[in-house]
Amino acid sequence: MSKRPLFKNKQSLGLFYAIFSAATFGLIPLFSLPIIHGGISTETTLVYRFGVATLILLPIIYFSGHSLYVKLADLLKLAGVSTLYMLAVLLFFNAFTHLPSSIVATLQYLYPVMVMLIMIGLFGEKFNWRIVLAVGLSVTGVAFLSQSPGIEESIEPGAGADAGNYFFGIILALVSGLCNALYIVSLKVARLSHINSLVMTFYVMGFGGLYSFINALFNVTLQWITTPAELGLAFMLALVTAVLSNLTLILAVQHVGPTMVSILGVMEPLTAVTCGILVFGEPLSIQLVLGIIIISIAVFMVLFKPAS
């Protein structure tokens, strides 16, 4: 008796990768907040996230028989892709010093709109009203999630609005979203699909670690993590939210393309909010319930395409 495959086709597998990637990205607060609240800087936390992820991938790549060798042209492309990713992360965190985190999260999550416009305008992707509606619903759902009580304290101690730099914070959040959109699109259009996904993830993590280390040195915020609990959290932060999330993101983009992946990225804030309720004791509000319902509709529209 033959076993039925778990996923019927490449697109179904790609959608699974996209959801899994977004959900694991959404676990960043679960592992990073205890480290940051323990007095470790966000810059140091990023160094450990990318650095440990790179070390985790080394033995996996070795024992799987893959080579780390890539052509110089491909290495330069990987450096550029990684730069976009790191800029998105750094600008995202810097925006919190100028704006409330709810506004930052909503503005940064405009990146699915940016991905859709880039793919339609520059790469000739077919305009689809169902996808447009799904993007609109997902952004609306994230806006509801971001306005829920307790969200303001969920990112970093001391983060808050600076009225004098409010407009600058908006620019930072929007550029962060644009960098994230360009990162997702570049995974598709940089023509790196001939590179093994594990190897590509290794280079993205490696460059990310290098950029994070330089940033921490520049800001004089580099610290050692010494307690067993914080080291364990740093390891899980690297394994779950860097290795697994970025590997499945690369696979998802290769299977279903940037637009679908960016829409299903809505699972990231949904997972983060769920962790906030279950782990950090944040209240369940009407805004949260509405946001979850709207997001569920958007995801349903992407996953269950009507028959043509």
Side-chain angles (χ1 to χ4, degrees):
M1 185 186 227
S2 62
K3 292 184 179 179
R4 298 175 99 187
L6 183 60
F7 300 100
K8 294 182 180 180
N9 52 50
K10 184 179 178 181
Q11 182 166 8
S12 298
L13 183 59
L15 293 174
F16 168 78
Y17 284 143
I19 292 174
F20 184 87
S21 173
T24 48
F25 269 125
L27 293 175
I28 289 176
L30 178 64
F31 302 118
S32 64
L33 287 181
I35 298 175
I36 293 170
H37 290 165
I40 302 298
S41 68
T42 54
E43 292 85 357
T44 295
T45 303
L46 288 175
V47 171
Y48 274 84
R49 178 177 181 246
F50 290 109
V52 174
T54 306
L55 295 177
I56 290 173
L57 283 164
L58 269 176
I60 296 174
I61 292 172
Y62 175 80
F63 287 111
S64 63
H66 297 294
S67 171
L68 289 176
Y69 172 78
V70 295
K71 295 178 180 179
L72 178 59
D74 291 333
L75 187 64
L76 293 175
K77 289 180 183 178
L78 288 167
V81 166
S82 304
T83 300
L84 290 171
Y85 180 55
M86 276 305 301
L87 282 174
V89 174
L90 292 175
L91 292 172
F92 183 66
F93 277 100
N94 285 331
F96 288 123
T97 63
H98 305 288
L99 289 174
S101 57
S102 58
I103 297 177
V104 175
T106 303
L107 290 173
Q108 201 268 351
Y109 193 76
L110 288 173
Y111 78 84
V113 179
M114 300 175 189
V115 169
M116 182 180 64
L117 293 175
I118 291 170
M119 293 305 296
I120 292 174
L122 298 182
F123 300 102
E125 186 172 281
K126 187 177 179 182
F127 186 85
N128 187 316
W129 277 110
R130 182 177 60 88
I131 297 301
V132 173
L133 182 57
V135 169
L137 286 172
S138 64
V139 173
T140 302
V142 171
F144 274 107
L145 293 187
S146 301
Q147 295 299 325
S148 62
I151 195 74
E152 296 300 329
E153 293 76 37
S154 65
I155 303 295
E156 182 179 3
D162 181 348
N165 295 298
Y166 197 87
F167 180 73
F168 183 61
I170 291 175
I171 297 299
L172 288 176
L174 289 174
V175 176
S176 171
L178 178 60
C179 288
N180 201 29
L182 292 173
Y183 168 64
I184 293 174
V185 171
S186 66
L187 290 175
K188 182 70 175 179
V189 303
R191 296 182 180 179
L192 295 168
S193 58
H194 59 284
I195 300 176
N196 177 268
S197 301
L198 278 171
V199 175
M200 194 185 304
T201 306
F202 169 83
Y203 279 105
V204 171
M205 294 298 99
F207 280 117
L210 176 62
Y211 299 154
S212 299
F213 182 73
I214 294 172
N215 179 61
L217 287 179
F218 181 78
N219 288 287
V220 198
T221 53
L222 189 61
Q223 301 165 268
W224 286 105
I225 293 179
T226 56
T227 68
E230 288 178 344
L231 286 172
L233 287 168
F235 178 83
M236 292 303 295
L237 180 68
L239 175 64
V240 177
T241 76
V243 174
L244 294 179
S245 58
N246 281 279
L247 176 60
T248 49
L249 175 65
I250 290 170
L251 291 169
V253 171
Q254 291 173 350
H255 280 67
V256 296
T259 302
M260 288 291 193
V261 170
S262 66
I263 297 172
L264 292 175
V266 76
M267 296 300 295
E268 178 182 344
L270 183 58
T271 304
V273 167
T274 302
C275 285
I277 295 171
L278 298 179
V279 179
F280 300 114
E282 294 178 4
L284 180 63
S285 65
I286 296 296
Q287 293 99 316
L288 275 180
V289 174
L290 286 173
I292 290 170
I293 292 172
I294 294 171
I295 286 172
S296 300
I297 294 171
V299 171
F300 183 87
M301 291 178 65
V302 172
L303 296 181
F304 301 98
K305 182 170 63 174
S308 54

